[in-house]
Amino acid sequence: MGLFRRGPKRDPREAPRDPVFEFLSEEEGRQLRGLTREAFAERGLEVTVFADHMTDSANRHYNLYNLAAGCHNNERGQRAWASLIRDHVDKLVRAMDAPSAVETLPTDELWARLYPRVTSDDNLPDDPAFGYAPVPAPGLREVLALDLPESVQTLPGDALAQLGDIAELRLRAMNNLRALPVEDHDVVKQDDGATFRVVLGDSFFTASRVLVLDDLAERVSGEGIGPDGALVAMPFRHMLAFHPVVGVDVIPSLNALAAFAAYRHEEAPGPVSPYVYWWRRGRLTQLSERDDDGQLSIVVGAEFQAVLERLLDEDEGH
């Protein structure tokens, strides 16, 4: 999973674009929907095709974004799409037909598979059953989910009630998150002094490691996060990037991370956030945003501005 890798061969950007998935051409969008409908039909399910999702006769909803992004980013290009889509639909159908994990698995195993997951508001249904989920930052939610062999099941409040007290379940989930192995780690350095670390992994909970950033930083760098916190970005579920706030290199690093987060968020399966945040004692403050024209900008509040000014004064005093 490269940081700035060259993508597979795709239809040129000049080709007419898909009306929903702008990263696909119009023809690629037709191919995606046709192959997906065909894969469902091969498994005995007739689906109604909409621009961004499909529904079956039981009114079950199948979102197409992650599948579209996964196909678009696959290194083998369009020749792999049919196989990717069949595998994806196979997993969906098996998950539908399988009995509920909460109802069938022993409680100890459910606890061992439980993780906190930071996700975009857009990825959750507008359902009061998820009212238990904290808001780490505007537009984000922290839910509890089961890591099953072929799927990740986000749990509503009524399902969690069968497993125990939600506060205790979150503690168990956080411990499981801390125990995850670090699958891949790299350091990005730029000529202007910007630097940040990137953690990548196949785990759906890689971005969620922002919740245990102190522990993660210690594991990958040998140093924890200091009192001024860190810059952090969670572009999509398989990636987390951070830079400890310890010196004036935070300024070029902030600009670099903001651009990196926006770039890696686009076209990614499981998108979380296109923004960079200031992590301090577990609290997230958003530092970048896009205007109505899509232009990226840095927005620094008084608290973070005071930290920057102090670091500049300390640097000038040396």
Side-chain angles (χ1 to χ4, degrees), residues 233-247:
M234 306 146 289
F236 62 108
R237 65 193 178 201
H238 301 293
M239 176 180 284
L240 174 70
F242 70 94
H243 171 86
V245 178
V246 293

Side-chain angles (χ1 to χ4, degrees), residues 112-140:
R113 292 183 176 275
L114 191 65
Y115 292 87
R117 185 176 183 187
V118 175
T119 187
S120 167
D121 266 344
D122 296 337
N123 293 333
L124 288 180
D126 184 13
D127 188 334
F130 292 98
Y132 74 89
V135 179
L140 300 177

Side-chain angles (χ1 to χ4, degrees), residues 96-111:
M96 284 190 309
D97 293 341
S100 166
V102 173
E103 300 291 345
T104 57
L105 293 179
T107 300
D108 286 352
E109 183 172 350
L110 291 169
W111 287 346

Side-chain angles (χ1 to χ4, degrees), residues 129-200:
F130 292 98
Y132 74 89
V135 179
L140 300 177
R141 300 287 292 279
E142 180 200 325
V143 293
L144 293 177
L146 290 174
D147 189 15
L148 302 172
E150 289 193 332
S151 66
V152 170
Q153 181 183 347
T154 301
L155 296 176
D158 53 352
L160 289 170
Q162 300 179 55
L163 301 181
D165 176 76
I166 288 182
E168 293 181 3
L169 292 173
R170 184 176 185 272
L171 288 175
R172 291 181 183 274
M174 293 287 281
N175 287 335
N176 292 340
L177 187 65
R178 289 187 183 92
L180 281 177
V182 176
E183 297 179 58
D184 196 8
H185 165 242
D186 203 353
V187 179
V188 175
K189 293 183 178 180
Q190 298 184 353
D191 293 341
D192 62 358
T195 179
F196 54 90
R197 295 179 180 271
V198 182
V199 176
L200 306 102

Side-chain angles (χ1 to χ4, degrees), residues 3-24:
L3 301 183
F4 296 98
R5 65 185 183 277
R6 182 187 297 273
K9 183 178 180 181
R10 299 163 176 154
D11 285 354
R13 295 296 297 183
E14 295 77 21
R17 310 318 295 169
D18 185 84
V20 174
F21 307 123
E22 196 274 340
F23 50 84
L24 297 181

